[in-house]
Amino acid sequence: MERVKIHLPERFLYTHQFLIKQEDINEANHMGNERILVYANSVREQMFQHLNLKLNDEKNGHGTIVANRSIHYKNEGFLDEVIICNAGVSTVTECSFDLIFQFVKQDGKVLALVRTGCVYYEYSQRKIRPLPEDFIQVFLNN
């Protein structure tokens, strides 16, 4: 099996801490693999809010959509463990960017790395459009 390689960004733009809850635990008595995506989505929304960026601009009919994801699970997570998620951006192009999430356990071991490929999208025309200038400024100059 080929390993997914996710490269960390030069810097993280946002950090969020959470506790693994009972609802995150599966029948194997550890954090279910799908829960990483739930947390990545939540942190993505919080990060954009923290950076004063709009994930979706409903008024103008465009926004960010997830195009693809890669996950590299490195360790198990257990009930009541504190997890720190560091989030950053890499591979910024005219129309897209990658969000990188590093989930770290309190003991310093990495739980998982997630890469979320996003594109900026014009809903009325159903096509990809250039990133807003404020995205580029925040992503490249923060």
Side-chain angles (χ1 to χ4, degrees), residues 23-84:
E23 65 196 46
D24 300 324
I25 303 301
N26 65 15
E27 64 280 348
N29 209 29
H30 61 218
M31 186 177 187
N33 62 56
E34 75 287 354
R35 300 303 295 171
I36 289 293
L37 292 178
V38 171
Y39 284 108
N41 282 334
S42 176
V43 171
R44 174 175 58 118
E45 292 170 7
Q46 292 172 47
M47 181 178 90
F48 269 70
Q49 191 171 41
H50 172 77
L51 297 172
N52 294 314
L53 298 174
K54 288 185 176 181
L55 266 173
N56 292 296
D57 184 349
E58 295 88 10
K59 178 181 172 190
N60 294 309
H62 44 82
T64 352
I65 60 171
V66 172
N68 56 62
R69 282 214 162 107
S70 301
I71 304 171
H72 184 178
Y73 298 101
K74 297 174 89 56
N75 282 288
E76 294 175 290
F78 298 100
L79 184 64
D80 294 329
E81 281 189 310
V82 174
I83 305 297
I84 296 169

Side-chain angles (χ1 to χ4, degrees), residues 5-16:
K5 289 185 171 82
I6 298 173
H7 301 284
L8 297 179
E10 290 180 22
R11 65 191 177 284
F12 291 110
L13 303 177
Y14 182 72
T15 298
H16 176 74

Side-chain angles (χ1 to χ4, degrees), residues 9 11-14 47 86-90 98-102:
R11 65 191 177 284
F12 291 110
L13 303 177
Y14 182 72
M47 181 178 90
N86 300 306
V89 178
S90 68
D98 287 343
L99 295 173
I100 307 297
F101 303 93
Q102 179 193 48

Side-chain angles (χ1 to χ4, degrees), residues 93-109:
T93 71
E94 179 187 3
C95 302
S96 68
F97 56 93
D98 287 343
L99 295 173
I100 307 297
F101 303 93
Q102 179 193 48
F103 293 87
V104 182
K105 297 167 54 141
Q106 226 172 358
D107 64 5
K109 292 180 181 175

